[in-house]
Amino acid sequence: MQSERFLIAQISDTHVRADDGGAAAKAMARAIAQAADYAVDLILLTGDLVNDARADEYAVLAAALQHPPAPIYLMPGNHDDRAQLRAHFPLARYLPMEGPLSYTIEDYPLRIVMLDQTVPGAVHGEITSAQADWLDQTLAAAPDRPTIVALHHPPFATHDLLFDKIGLHNGAAFAAVIARHPQVARVICGHHHRFAVGQAAHAPVVIAPSTSWAYGLALHDGQPIAPKTQEQPGWVLHAWTASGGLASHMIGL
Ligand SMILES: [Fe+2]
């Protein structure tokens, strides 16, 4: 960490495969190399780590993440499988042994709360009442520490015809918890494969793009739904200081 500045690389929707000639893993590696060039303090992977939740894909992912340039933390997306993720990262002792893979990262100037609100077997996300209680109690345990909450599914309406159907179905329940905890400085997520900014209660929400491909935006009937576009894949660099708060930059690959 340089002076009091704290840098986080948020890398999302890497969709690593075992049958693409290594393309997705190479894109992820480019993002990690860029993050290393920025001397980030921490790397967060916010879900859809692999494409089809297959063991061979997790093996490729684990091999690609063997020597990260900074501590790296993983969370699942709708393309992941909790059991496979646990099995392939036995050294990731921060992952709970059962149930949702939610946890906190406590060792840095910013507190990070990783909320797994994926629904096994489903594309959309949902925060259960148990997960909302966990989030509420976890945030209540450190009210004075500036905090980032990370989840996979965007908790706000993006206006996209597809992604609003397959986002966090009860974003209002999530926002109601965030509203009780003013120390939440930012909410970060992925899933949409395009950079966007929204709101959950007082907290700005940043959607990181995918490192693998970008989806176009469909606002009106007749527009192509989630076409793969030539828009820029990338990742997000979150830079924090105690005096200045957070700035979030999209970095193109
Ligand atoms: Fe994805």
Side-chain angles (χ1 to χ4, degrees):
M1 198 178 348
Q2 182 186 358
S3 68
E4 60 154 9
R5 191 168 63 189
F6 179 58
L7 300 177
I8 299 171
Q10 182 196 358
I11 296 174
S12 202
D13 293 84
T14 47
H15 286 261
V16 166
R17 307 174 64 113
D19 61 355
D20 66 347
K26 283 178 193 155
M28 180 181 73
R30 278 202 301 280
I32 291 173
Q34 289 177 328
D37 286 344
Y38 282 110
V40 301
D41 300 294
L42 188 64
I43 299 172
L44 304 177
L45 263 59
T46 47
D48 284 1
L49 309 175
V50 302
N51 200 60
D52 291 306
R54 291 161 44 143
D56 55 356
E57 296 178 335
Y58 282 105
V60 173
L61 177 74
L65 296 179
Q66 265 188 337
H67 302 292
I72 193 161
Y73 289 86
L74 312 175
M75 72 185 307
N78 50 290
H79 281 256
D80 289 299
D81 177 87
R82 289 169 179 162
Q84 290 276 6
L85 185 47
R86 278 192 209 96
H88 283 85
F89 291 90
L91 298 181
R93 296 196 180 87
Y94 55 84
L95 293 174
M97 294 303 288
E98 56 186 30
L101 301 183
S102 298
Y103 56 93
T104 65
I105 305 169
E106 304 282 0
D107 309 330
Y108 298 96
L110 268 179
R111 188 173 187 236
I112 317 283
V113 177
M114 302 285 266
L115 173 69
D116 172 10
Q117 40 59 220
T118 58
V119 180
V123 178
H124 74 280
E126 204 160 339
I127 182 168
T128 64
S129 58
Q131 287 163 336
D133 288 347
W134 178 85
L135 180 63
D136 200 23
Q137 289 163 17
T138 299
L139 291 171
D144 299 325
R145 294 193 59 198
T147 299
I148 286 180
V149 175
L151 70 172
H152 181 67
H153 291 81
F156 65 93
T158 65
H159 297 244
D160 183 83
L161 294 178
L162 173 65
F163 278 89
D164 281 354
K165 290 194 183 113
I166 60 168
L168 190 71
H169 274 188
N170 51 351
F174 174 80
V177 176
I178 298 299
R180 291 195 282 276
H181 302 282
Q183 81 272 24
V184 177
R186 191 74 99 238
V187 173
I188 64 174
C189 57
H191 189 55
H192 206 315
H193 290 222
R194 56 183 299 109
F195 182 83
V197 176
Q199 196 83 14
H202 61 278
V205 182
V206 171
I207 305 178
S210 163
T211 50
S212 279
W213 72 87
Y215 282 128
L217 179 65
L219 291 182
H220 303 290
D221 287 339
Q223 289 185 317
I225 302 294
K228 289 190 178 179
T229 73
Q230 296 305 311
E231 291 176 78
Q232 185 76 54
W235 56 284
V236 174
L237 175 68
H238 302 283
W240 182 83
T241 58
S243 55
L246 269 165
S248 299
H249 295 269
M250 174 172 163
I251 310 289
L253 283 179

mmCIF file of all heavy atoms in Angstrom, residues 83-120:
data_model
loop_
_atom_site.group_PDB
_atom_site.id
_atom_site.type_symbol
_atom_site.label_atom_id
_atom_site.label_comp_id
_atom_site.label_asym_id
_atom_site.label_seq_id
_atom_site.Cartn_x
_atom_site.Cartn_y
_atom_site.Cartn_z
ATOM 1 N N ALA A 83 -19.850 -25.976 -4.448
ATOM 2 C CA ALA A 83 -19.056 -27.136 -4.024
ATOM 3 C C ALA A 83 -17.781 -27.255 -4.866
ATOM 4 O O ALA A 83 -16.694 -27.536 -4.340
ATOM 5 C CB ALA A 83 -19.884 -28.407 -4.123
ATOM 6 N N GLN A 84 -17.916 -27.044 -6.174
ATOM 7 C CA GLN A 84 -16.731 -27.095 -7.050
ATOM 8 C C GLN A 84 -15.728 -26.005 -6.661
ATOM 9 O O GLN A 84 -14.517 -26.234 -6.644
ATOM 10 C CB GLN A 84 -17.149 -26.885 -8.517
ATOM 11 C CG GLN A 84 -17.914 -28.027 -9.118
ATOM 12 C CD GLN A 84 -16.986 -29.111 -9.647
ATOM 13 O OE1 GLN A 84 -15.775 -29.063 -9.473
ATOM 14 N NE2 GLN A 84 -17.575 -30.111 -10.278
ATOM 15 N N LEU A 85 -16.254 -24.846 -6.387
ATOM 16 C CA LEU A 85 -15.391 -23.714 -6.024
ATOM 17 C C LEU A 85 -14.608 -24.043 -4.751
ATOM 18 O O LEU A 85 -13.377 -23.877 -4.698
ATOM 19 C CB LEU A 85 -16.269 -22.474 -5.847
ATOM 20 C CG LEU A 85 -15.615 -21.124 -5.573
ATOM 21 C CD1 LEU A 85 -14.467 -20.855 -6.515
ATOM 22 C CD2 LEU A 85 -16.657 -20.025 -5.700
ATOM 23 N N ARG A 86 -15.323 -24.531 -3.746
ATOM 24 C CA ARG A 86 -14.645 -24.917 -2.495
ATOM 25 C C ARG A 86 -13.598 -25.998 -2.760
ATOM 26 O O ARG A 86 -12.480 -25.938 -2.254
ATOM 27 C CB ARG A 86 -15.658 -25.484 -1.496
ATOM 28 C CG ARG A 86 -16.420 -24.454 -0.724
ATOM 29 C CD ARG A 86 -17.158 -25.151 0.423
ATOM 30 N NE ARG A 86 -18.357 -24.433 0.743
ATOM 31 C CZ ARG A 86 -19.556 -24.726 0.273
ATOM 32 N NH1 ARG A 86 -19.735 -25.747 -0.543
ATOM 33 N NH2 ARG A 86 -20.584 -23.995 0.610
ATOM 34 N N ALA A 87 -13.971 -26.988 -3.571
ATOM 35 C CA ALA A 87 -13.085 -28.148 -3.769
ATOM 36 C C ALA A 87 -11.793 -27.754 -4.475
ATOM 37 O O ALA A 87 -10.733 -28.321 -4.193
ATOM 38 C CB ALA A 87 -13.818 -29.227 -4.569
ATOM 39 N N HIS A 88 -11.869 -26.795 -5.394
ATOM 40 C CA HIS A 88 -10.687 -26.442 -6.186
ATOM 41 C C HIS A 88 -9.830 -25.366 -5.540
ATOM 42 O O HIS A 88 -8.745 -25.065 -6.043
ATOM 43 C CB HIS A 88 -11.101 -26.028 -7.599
ATOM 44 C CG HIS A 88 -11.439 -27.213 -8.459
ATOM 45 N ND1 HIS A 88 -12.685 -27.796 -8.471
ATOM 46 C CD2 HIS A 88 -10.676 -27.954 -9.285
ATOM 47 C CE1 HIS A 88 -12.678 -28.829 -9.292
ATOM 48 N NE2 HIS A 88 -11.473 -28.948 -9.798
ATOM 49 N N PHE A 89 -10.318 -24.766 -4.462
ATOM 50 C CA PHE A 89 -9.526 -23.751 -3.764
ATOM 51 C C PHE A 89 -9.450 -24.105 -2.281
ATOM 52 O O PHE A 89 -9.944 -23.371 -1.423
ATOM 53 C CB PHE A 89 -10.127 -22.358 -3.997
ATOM 54 C CG PHE A 89 -9.970 -21.887 -5.407
ATOM 55 C CD1 PHE A 89 -10.947 -22.164 -6.353
ATOM 56 C CD2 PHE A 89 -8.826 -21.206 -5.809
ATOM 57 C CE1 PHE A 89 -10.782 -21.767 -7.679
ATOM 58 C CE2 PHE A 89 -8.661 -20.799 -7.122
ATOM 59 C CZ PHE A 89 -9.645 -21.075 -8.063
ATOM 60 N N PRO A 90 -8.799 -25.260 -1.982
ATOM 61 C CA PRO A 90 -8.753 -25.717 -0.580
ATOM 62 C C PRO A 90 -8.011 -24.745 0.337
ATOM 63 O O PRO A 90 -8.222 -24.764 1.546
ATOM 64 C CB PRO A 90 -8.025 -27.065 -0.674
ATOM 65 C CG PRO A 90 -7.241 -27.001 -1.943
ATOM 66 C CD PRO A 90 -8.064 -26.164 -2.880
ATOM 67 N N LEU A 91 -7.143 -23.896 -0.254
ATOM 68 C CA LEU A 91 -6.402 -22.947 0.584
ATOM 69 C C LEU A 91 -7.206 -21.677 0.850
ATOM 70 O O LEU A 91 -6.786 -20.838 1.640
ATOM 71 C CB LEU A 91 -5.066 -22.593 -0.078
ATOM 72 C CG LEU A 91 -4.116 -23.781 -0.280
ATOM 73 C CD1 LEU A 91 -2.814 -23.318 -0.923
ATOM 74 C CD2 LEU A 91 -3.834 -24.474 1.055
ATOM 75 N N ALA A 92 -8.337 -21.547 0.191
ATOM 76 C CA ALA A 92 -9.187 -20.363 0.400
ATOM 77 C C ALA A 92 -10.040 -20.602 1.643
ATOM 78 O O ALA A 92 -11.239 -20.832 1.570
ATOM 79 C CB ALA A 92 -10.049 -20.099 -0.838
ATOM 80 N N ARG A 93 -9.366 -20.507 2.798
ATOM 81 C CA ARG A 93 -10.045 -20.894 4.038
ATOM 82 C C ARG A 93 -11.089 -19.874 4.467
ATOM 83 O O ARG A 93 -11.832 -20.117 5.421
ATOM 84 C CB ARG A 93 -9.014 -21.117 5.144
ATOM 85 C CG ARG A 93 -8.095 -22.294 4.803
ATOM 86 C CD ARG A 93 -7.322 -22.809 6.002
ATOM 87 N NE ARG A 93 -6.471 -23.927 5.583
ATOM 88 C CZ ARG A 93 -5.242 -23.784 5.099
ATOM 89 N NH1 ARG A 93 -4.717 -22.579 4.975
ATOM 90 N NH2 ARG A 93 -4.531 -24.829 4.727
ATOM 91 N N TYR A 94 -11.140 -18.759 3.781
ATOM 92 C CA TYR A 94 -12.190 -17.780 4.086
ATOM 93 C C TYR A 94 -13.557 -18.242 3.589
ATOM 94 O O TYR A 94 -14.574 -17.698 3.990
ATOM 95 C CB TYR A 94 -11.829 -16.422 3.453
ATOM 96 C CG TYR A 94 -11.565 -16.495 1.960
ATOM 97 C CD1 TYR A 94 -12.599 -16.441 1.031
ATOM 98 C CD2 TYR A 94 -10.263 -16.611 1.475
ATOM 99 C CE1 TYR A 94 -12.359 -16.516 -0.322
ATOM 100 C CE2 TYR A 94 -10.012 -16.688 0.119
ATOM 101 C CZ TYR A 94 -11.062 -16.644 -0.776
ATOM 102 O OH TYR A 94 -10.825 -16.733 -2.116
ATOM 103 N N LEU A 95 -13.574 -19.255 2.711
ATOM 104 C CA LEU A 95 -14.865 -19.730 2.189
ATOM 105 C C LEU A 95 -15.546 -20.598 3.239
ATOM 106 O O LEU A 95 -14.942 -21.546 3.748
ATOM 107 C CB LEU A 95 -14.650 -20.552 0.913
ATOM 108 C CG LEU A 95 -14.140 -19.794 -0.309
ATOM 109 C CD1 LEU A 95 -13.835 -20.771 -1.454
ATOM 110 C CD2 LEU A 95 -15.139 -18.740 -0.773
ATOM 111 N N PRO A 96 -16.799 -20.315 3.571
ATOM 112 C CA PRO A 96 -17.528 -21.175 4.514
ATOM 113 C C PRO A 96 -17.615 -22.604 3.986
ATOM 114 O O PRO A 96 -17.614 -22.842 2.774
ATOM 115 C CB PRO A 96 -18.923 -20.540 4.580
ATOM 116 C CG PRO A 96 -18.730 -19.146 4.101
ATOM 117 C CD PRO A 96 -17.589 -19.179 3.119
ATOM 118 N N MET A 97 -17.673 -23.568 4.881
ATOM 119 C CA MET A 97 -17.675 -24.978 4.499
ATOM 120 C C MET A 97 -19.008 -25.417 3.903
ATOM 121 O O MET A 97 -19.088 -26.440 3.220
ATOM 122 C CB MET A 97 -17.354 -25.853 5.711
ATOM 123 C CG MET A 97 -15.943 -25.660 6.248
ATOM 124 S SD MET A 97 -14.687 -25.976 4.980
ATOM 125 C CE MET A 97 -14.805 -27.765 4.863
ATOM 126 N N GLU A 98 -20.065 -24.704 4.191
ATOM 127 C CA GLU A 98 -21.359 -25.070 3.601
ATOM 128 C C GLU A 98 -22.213 -23.821 3.427
ATOM 129 O O GLU A 98 -21.928 -22.780 4.011
ATOM 130 C CB GLU A 98 -22.081 -26.091 4.480
ATOM 131 C CG GLU A 98 -22.282 -25.636 5.902
ATOM 132 C CD GLU A 98 -22.876 -26.741 6.764
ATOM 133 O OE1 GLU A 98 -22.614 -27.927 6.477
ATOM 134 O OE2 GLU A 98 -23.591 -26.412 7.715
ATOM 135 N N GLY A 99 -23.244 -23.978 2.588
ATOM 136 C CA GLY A 99 -24.172 -22.872 2.367
ATOM 137 C C GLY A 99 -23.573 -21.804 1.473
ATOM 138 O O GLY A 99 -22.568 -22.030 0.779
ATOM 139 N N PRO A 100 -24.185 -20.608 1.474
ATOM 140 C CA PRO A 100 -23.686 -19.513 0.632
ATOM 141 C C PRO A 100 -22.255 -19.160 0.990
ATOM 142 O O PRO A 100 -21.854 -19.242 2.154
ATOM 143 C CB PRO A 100 -24.637 -18.357 0.974
ATOM 144 C CG PRO A 100 -25.849 -18.997 1.553
ATOM 145 C CD PRO A 100 -25.384 -20.253 2.228
ATOM 146 N N LEU A 101 -21.488 -18.748 -0.017
ATOM 147 C CA LEU A 101 -20.069 -18.439 0.197
ATOM 148 C C LEU A 101 -19.909 -16.949 0.528
ATOM 149 O O LEU A 101 -19.242 -16.207 -0.175
ATOM 150 C CB LEU A 101 -19.257 -18.837 -1.033
ATOM 151 C CG LEU A 101 -19.331 -20.320 -1.410
ATOM 152 C CD1 LEU A 101 -18.439 -20.626 -2.605
ATOM 153 C CD2 LEU A 101 -18.958 -21.200 -0.223
ATOM 154 N N SER A 102 -20.552 -16.553 1.625
ATOM 155 C CA SER A 102 -20.465 -15.164 2.095
ATOM 156 C C SER A 102 -19.439 -15.083 3.216
ATOM 157 O O SER A 102 -19.336 -16.000 4.034
ATOM 158 C CB SER A 102 -21.829 -14.690 2.627
ATOM 159 O OG SER A 102 -22.807 -14.702 1.609
ATOM 160 N N TYR A 103 -18.698 -13.967 3.238
ATOM 161 C CA TYR A 103 -17.655 -13.797 4.266
ATOM 162 C C TYR A 103 -17.218 -12.337 4.265
ATOM 163 O O TYR A 103 -17.668 -11.545 3.427
ATOM 164 C CB TYR A 103 -16.456 -14.724 3.982
ATOM 165 C CG TYR A 103 -15.850 -14.528 2.608
ATOM 166 C CD1 TYR A 103 -14.781 -13.654 2.416
ATOM 167 C CD2 TYR A 103 -16.349 -15.187 1.486
ATOM 168 C CE1 TYR A 103 -14.225 -13.457 1.164
ATOM 169 C CE2 TYR A 103 -15.797 -14.999 0.234
ATOM 170 C CZ TYR A 103 -14.740 -14.134 0.078
ATOM 171 O OH TYR A 103 -14.206 -13.941 -1.168
ATOM 172 N N THR A 104 -16.342 -12.010 5.226
ATOM 173 C CA THR A 104 -15.815 -10.645 5.261
ATOM 174 C C THR A 104 -14.290 -10.680 5.150
ATOM 175 O O THR A 104 -13.649 -11.682 5.470
ATOM 176 C CB THR A 104 -16.186 -9.912 6.566
ATOM 177 O OG1 THR A 104 -15.540 -10.558 7.664
ATOM 178 C CG2 THR A 104 -17.695 -9.925 6.783
ATOM 179 N N ILE A 105 -13.732 -9.583 4.669
ATOM 180 C CA ILE A 105 -12.275 -9.403 4.594
ATOM 181 C C ILE A 105 -11.957 -8.236 5.531
ATOM 182 O O ILE A 105 -12.408 -7.111 5.305
ATOM 183 C CB ILE A 105 -11.832 -9.100 3.155
ATOM 184 C CG1 ILE A 105 -12.336 -10.201 2.203
ATOM 185 C CG2 ILE A 105 -10.313 -8.972 3.074
ATOM 186 C CD1 ILE A 105 -12.172 -9.861 0.725
ATOM 187 N N GLU A 106 -11.177 -8.543 6.582
ATOM 188 C CA GLU A 106 -11.061 -7.599 7.698
ATOM 189 C C GLU A 106 -9.704 -6.918 7.802
ATOM 190 O O GLU A 106 -9.525 -6.061 8.650
ATOM 191 C CB GLU A 106 -11.326 -8.332 9.020
ATOM 192 C CG GLU A 106 -12.668 -9.051 9.098
ATOM 193 C CD GLU A 106 -13.831 -8.108 9.361
ATOM 194 O OE1 GLU A 106 -13.600 -6.885 9.495
ATOM 195 O OE2 GLU A 106 -14.973 -8.598 9.413
ATOM 196 N N ASP A 107 -8.747 -7.312 6.974
ATOM 197 C CA ASP A 107 -7.350 -6.945 7.243
ATOM 198 C C ASP A 107 -6.902 -5.652 6.584
ATOM 199 O O ASP A 107 -5.695 -5.384 6.535
ATOM 200 C CB ASP A 107 -6.420 -8.068 6.763
ATOM 201 C CG ASP A 107 -6.846 -9.424 7.312
ATOM 202 O OD1 ASP A 107 -7.421 -9.435 8.416
ATOM 203 O OD2 ASP A 107 -6.623 -10.447 6.646
ATOM 204 N N TYR A 108 -7.804 -4.858 6.063
ATOM 205 C CA TYR A 108 -7.407 -3.710 5.251
ATOM 206 C C TYR A 108 -8.120 -2.449 5.732
ATOM 207 O O TYR A 108 -9.077 -2.531 6.498
ATOM 208 C CB TYR A 108 -7.744 -3.998 3.779
ATOM 209 C CG TYR A 108 -6.985 -5.195 3.252
ATOM 210 C CD1 TYR A 108 -7.571 -6.459 3.225
ATOM 211 C CD2 TYR A 108 -5.666 -5.069 2.832
ATOM 212 C CE1 TYR A 108 -6.867 -7.569 2.771
ATOM 213 C CE2 TYR A 108 -4.952 -6.174 2.377
ATOM 214 C CZ TYR A 108 -5.556 -7.414 2.345
ATOM 215 O OH TYR A 108 -4.853 -8.501 1.913
ATOM 216 N N PRO A 109 -7.678 -1.281 5.256
ATOM 217 C CA PRO A 109 -8.324 -0.034 5.700
ATOM 218 C C PRO A 109 -9.805 0.017 5.344
ATOM 219 O O PRO A 109 -10.589 0.648 6.051
ATOM 220 C CB PRO A 109 -7.560 1.065 4.957
ATOM 221 C CG PRO A 109 -6.321 0.438 4.451
ATOM 222 C CD PRO A 109 -6.530 -1.033 4.377
ATOM 223 N N LEU A 110 -10.164 -0.606 4.229
ATOM 224 C CA LEU A 110 -11.579 -0.740 3.887
ATOM 225 C C LEU A 110 -12.021 -2.141 4.287
ATOM 226 O O LEU A 110 -11.337 -3.124 3.990
ATOM 227 C CB LEU A 110 -11.779 -0.618 2.371
ATOM 228 C CG LEU A 110 -12.069 0.735 1.765
ATOM 229 C CD1 LEU A 110 -12.202 0.572 0.254
ATOM 230 C CD2 LEU A 110 -13.334 1.339 2.329
ATOM 231 N N ARG A 111 -13.163 -2.242 4.908
ATOM 232 C CA ARG A 111 -13.730 -3.561 5.206
ATOM 233 C C ARG A 111 -14.515 -4.026 3.979
ATOM 234 O O ARG A 111 -15.239 -3.235 3.365
ATOM 235 C CB ARG A 111 -14.651 -3.451 6.415
ATOM 236 C CG ARG A 111 -15.157 -4.775 6.935
ATOM 237 C CD ARG A 111 -15.928 -4.537 8.243
ATOM 238 N NE ARG A 111 -16.291 -5.788 8.867
ATOM 239 C CZ ARG A 111 -17.544 -6.129 9.182
ATOM 240 N NH1 ARG A 111 -18.551 -5.305 8.942
ATOM 241 N NH2 ARG A 111 -17.789 -7.285 9.759
ATOM 242 N N ILE A 112 -14.356 -5.297 3.617
ATOM 243 C CA ILE A 112 -15.053 -5.839 2.450
ATOM 244 C C ILE A 112 -16.031 -6.913 2.932
ATOM 245 O O ILE A 112 -15.641 -7.831 3.660
ATOM 246 C CB ILE A 112 -14.086 -6.491 1.443
ATOM 247 C CG1 ILE A 112 -12.823 -5.652 1.242
ATOM 248 C CG2 ILE A 112 -14.815 -6.787 0.133
ATOM 249 C CD1 ILE A 112 -12.943 -4.461 0.400
ATOM 250 N N VAL A 113 -17.271 -6.803 2.513
ATOM 251 C CA VAL A 113 -18.276 -7.827 2.811
ATOM 252 C C VAL A 113 -18.658 -8.488 1.490
ATOM 253 O O VAL A 113 -19.172 -7.818 0.581
ATOM 254 C CB VAL A 113 -19.520 -7.212 3.485
ATOM 255 C CG1 VAL A 113 -20.589 -8.290 3.705
ATOM 256 C CG2 VAL A 113 -19.143 -6.565 4.811
ATOM 257 N N MET A 114 -18.366 -9.767 1.389
ATOM 258 C CA MET A 114 -18.662 -10.532 0.170
ATOM 259 C C MET A 114 -19.978 -11.290 0.400
ATOM 260 O O MET A 114 -20.039 -12.186 1.250
ATOM 261 C CB MET A 114 -17.529 -11.510 -0.129
ATOM 262 C CG MET A 114 -16.152 -10.845 -0.293
ATOM 263 S SD MET A 114 -15.946 -9.966 -1.863
ATOM 264 C CE MET A 114 -15.179 -11.254 -2.860
ATOM 265 N N LEU A 115 -21.001 -10.935 -0.330
ATOM 266 C CA LEU A 115 -22.338 -11.503 -0.132
ATOM 267 C C LEU A 115 -22.685 -12.418 -1.305
ATOM 268 O O LEU A 115 -22.827 -11.959 -2.438
ATOM 269 C CB LEU A 115 -23.368 -10.371 -0.040
ATOM 270 C CG LEU A 115 -24.830 -10.822 0.001
ATOM 271 C CD1 LEU A 115 -25.146 -11.525 1.323
ATOM 272 C CD2 LEU A 115 -25.770 -9.649 -0.222
ATOM 273 N N ASP A 116 -22.806 -13.699 -1.011
ATOM 274 C CA ASP A 116 -23.214 -14.673 -2.036
ATOM 275 C C ASP A 116 -24.734 -14.780 -2.018
ATOM 276 O O ASP A 116 -25.310 -15.405 -1.141
ATOM 277 C CB ASP A 116 -22.561 -16.027 -1.732
ATOM 278 C CG ASP A 116 -23.073 -17.155 -2.631
ATOM 279 O OD1 ASP A 116 -23.793 -16.872 -3.603
ATOM 280 O OD2 ASP A 116 -22.731 -18.325 -2.345
ATOM 281 N N GLN A 117 -25.357 -14.154 -3.000
ATOM 282 C CA GLN A 117 -26.825 -14.206 -3.093
ATOM 283 C C GLN A 117 -27.261 -14.932 -4.363
ATOM 284 O O GLN A 117 -28.358 -14.700 -4.868
ATOM 285 C CB GLN A 117 -27.429 -12.796 -3.002
ATOM 286 C CG GLN A 117 -26.655 -11.720 -3.753
ATOM 287 C CD GLN A 117 -26.493 -11.962 -5.230
ATOM 288 O OE1 GLN A 117 -25.460 -11.710 -5.808
ATOM 289 N NE2 GLN A 117 -27.531 -12.472 -5.866
ATOM 290 N N THR A 118 -26.354 -15.807 -4.862
ATOM 291 C CA THR A 118 -26.733 -16.617 -6.014
ATOM 292 C C THR A 118 -27.788 -17.635 -5.582
ATOM 293 O O THR A 118 -27.915 -17.978 -4.405
ATOM 294 C CB THR A 118 -25.517 -17.356 -6.599
ATOM 295 O OG1 THR A 118 -24.924 -18.173 -5.584
ATOM 296 C CG2 THR A 118 -24.476 -16.374 -7.122
ATOM 297 N N VAL A 119 -28.558 -18.103 -6.562
ATOM 298 C CA VAL A 119 -29.594 -19.109 -6.319
ATOM 299 C C VAL A 119 -29.161 -20.358 -7.083
ATOM 300 O O VAL A 119 -29.144 -20.335 -8.320
ATOM 301 C CB VAL A 119 -30.968 -18.628 -6.826
ATOM 302 C CG1 VAL A 119 -32.039 -19.682 -6.565
ATOM 303 C CG2 VAL A 119 -31.334 -17.291 -6.188
ATOM 304 N N PRO A 120 -28.765 -21.435 -6.379
ATOM 305 C CA PRO A 120 -28.264 -22.612 -7.104
ATOM 306 C C PRO A 120 -29.224 -23.065 -8.195
ATOM 307 O O PRO A 120 -30.434 -23.209 -7.964
ATOM 308 C CB PRO A 120 -28.133 -23.666 -5.996
ATOM 309 C CG PRO A 120 -27.867 -22.858 -4.761
ATOM 310 C CD PRO A 120 -28.704 -21.602 -4.921
#
